[in-house]
Amino acid sequence: MFSVGIIAALLSMLVAVVSTLISKRIAPQLGNKLSPILTVGFGAVTMLMGALIFGFGSLGLQDIIISGISGFFLSLGFIFRYTSLRTEQITNTVAVGQIQQAIVVIFSLFILEEALSLLQLILIVIVFIGSTLVATTERFELNRNLIPAFFASVSWGIYWVLIAYSVNNSNNFLLSLIVSRIIGIAVLLVYLFFYRKETISRSKSIIRNNGRNIMVMLLVLGIIAGLTNGLGDALFGAVAYYKVLAVGSAINTLSPILIALLAYFVFRERLNRQQMAGFVVMIVAVMMLSVI
């Protein structure tokens, strides 16, 4: 019988797939200024609803600070992710994002003082090699547009290490995530303020060229992406709470496979042989890294 933590991991993976696919739909139009605030902002709504149902609990000052710092990396990751999604295939972007799992292991060495085995070191190197294959062209030239996706995975790797630390220390996953989101929203609002003219100009352009209804549809999709993203993070927070992060992380590696399959039919995306080889190698290495 599946435990609550395993069920939470499966549901988290599925809603994350939905949120990511919607993100690809809105990124080219809304850009990397408005899209992140919709995702992070409405993600907080889902978490607040969960806290109202199950209770907020409390956090110590140390955990509040740690959760707050994680919010900065959360928002930074979304800025970088949407930068790549504006122009690149969702399959490539998500595949490069799997570096996050390796980053979690690396940072765990410093924060949780875990030992790194030779096999883990080899698998981390393989993950980076696979990522390089996905992020390069057939002539092995670096696709610079995927560099932000790399930095997004680094930012989210740090985010999840800090959240896992706070959750394990406080036994309160919802409040840790909510504090993180609040700080993330604040960071993104400051970011949006500095680029407000560009954001307003882009919004007017969408309305002028496609009509007000299209703009409303994009905003609604952005809200749905945010709600599902918040639900996915809340569910994965429960994975940390029930202390099944290793298995949960392995289950989470199925998301890029589902995204690649769905992107093939929805967005007509294709990978060349070299990118496909890198994709497969990376997913296998990440799955092994998550369970050993």
Side-chain angles (χ1 to χ4, degrees):
M1 181 179 294
F2 288 129
S3 70
V4 174
I6 300 302
I7 294 173
L10 287 167
L11 292 175
S12 173
M13 184 268 295
L14 292 174
V15 295
V17 168
V18 173
S19 180
T20 304
L21 289 172
I22 294 175
S23 296
K24 175 57 182 174
R25 178 67 182 86
I26 66 174
Q29 285 77 27
L30 297 183
N32 66 337
K33 311 297 188 302
L34 186 56
S35 300
I37 192 65
L38 289 172
T39 305
V40 176
F42 283 93
V45 173
T46 310
M47 295 173 181
L48 285 169
M49 290 174 61
L52 288 172
I53 295 172
F54 298 105
F56 284 88
S58 62
L59 288 178
L61 179 60
Q62 179 185 6
D63 295 313
I64 291 174
I65 294 173
I66 292 173
S67 298
I69 294 172
S70 76
F72 171 79
F73 290 102
L74 170 70
S75 58
L76 194 64
F78 274 108
I79 292 171
F80 283 132
R81 166 64 72 85
Y82 276 109
T83 299
S84 282
L85 281 178
R86 287 178 61 186
T87 59
E88 301 310 300
Q89 293 189 148
I90 188 174
T91 305
N92 302 66
T93 302
V94 170
V96 172
Q98 291 307 294
I99 292 176
Q100 173 182 331
Q101 305 294 342
I103 296 298
V104 169
V105 173
I106 293 172
F107 277 93
S108 294
L109 300 176
F110 299 97
I111 295 179
L112 302 179
E113 298 181 352
E114 295 179 357
L116 182 66
S117 68
L118 177 60
L119 178 57
Q120 286 176 314
L121 179 61
I122 293 172
L123 290 172
I124 289 173
V125 172
I126 291 174
V127 170
F128 279 92
I129 292 174
S131 174
T132 301
L133 291 174
V134 172
T136 53
T137 65
E138 290 180 330
R139 297 180 180 180
F140 288 94
E141 296 175 348
L142 179 65
N143 183 350
R144 297 182 183 275
N145 291 328
L146 283 173
I147 292 177
F150 169 81
F151 285 113
S153 64
V154 172
S155 295
W156 283 337
I158 299 172
Y159 161 73
W160 274 115
V161 167
L162 294 173
I163 285 294
Y165 184 88
S166 176
V167 169
N168 286 325
N169 192 48
S170 64
N171 285 326
N172 188 330
F173 67 92
L174 275 177
L175 192 53
S176 294
L177 290 170
I178 289 171
V179 170
S180 177
R181 288 271 164 168
I182 291 172
I183 298 301
I185 291 169
V187 171
L188 289 173
L189 284 175
V190 172
Y191 177 67
L192 189 62
F193 175 79
F194 282 104
Y195 289 95
R196 62 190 183 280
K197 292 183 179 180
E198 178 185 331
T199 304
I200 293 172
S201 176
R202 178 181 289 273
S203 300
K204 288 181 177 179
S205 177
I206 294 173
I207 294 173
R208 183 172 59 254
N209 296 327
N210 302 291
R212 193 175 299 274
N213 289 339
I214 296 297
M215 184 63 186
V216 171
M217 182 195 73
L218 289 171
L219 291 174
V220 169
L221 286 174
I223 291 171
I224 295 173
L227 294 173
T228 50
N229 174 264
L231 178 60
D233 272 16
L235 287 167
F236 204 76
V239 173
Y241 177 78
Y242 285 102
K243 296 179 173 59
V244 287
L245 270 176
V247 179
S249 296
I251 290 173
N252 199 44
T253 60
L254 295 174
S255 62
I257 299 174
L258 286 177
I259 289 171
L261 289 173
L262 292 171
Y264 179 87
F265 296 102
V266 177
F267 300 111
R268 307 299 182 190
E269 292 188 356
R270 304 291 188 274
L271 296 176
N272 59 42
R273 291 181 181 178
Q274 163 204 312
Q275 292 171 330
M276 181 59 73
F279 181 84
V280 173
V281 166
M282 177 182 289
I283 297 303
V284 172
V286 168
M287 291 185 73
M288 291 179 65
L289 189 61
S290 300
V291 298
I292 61 175

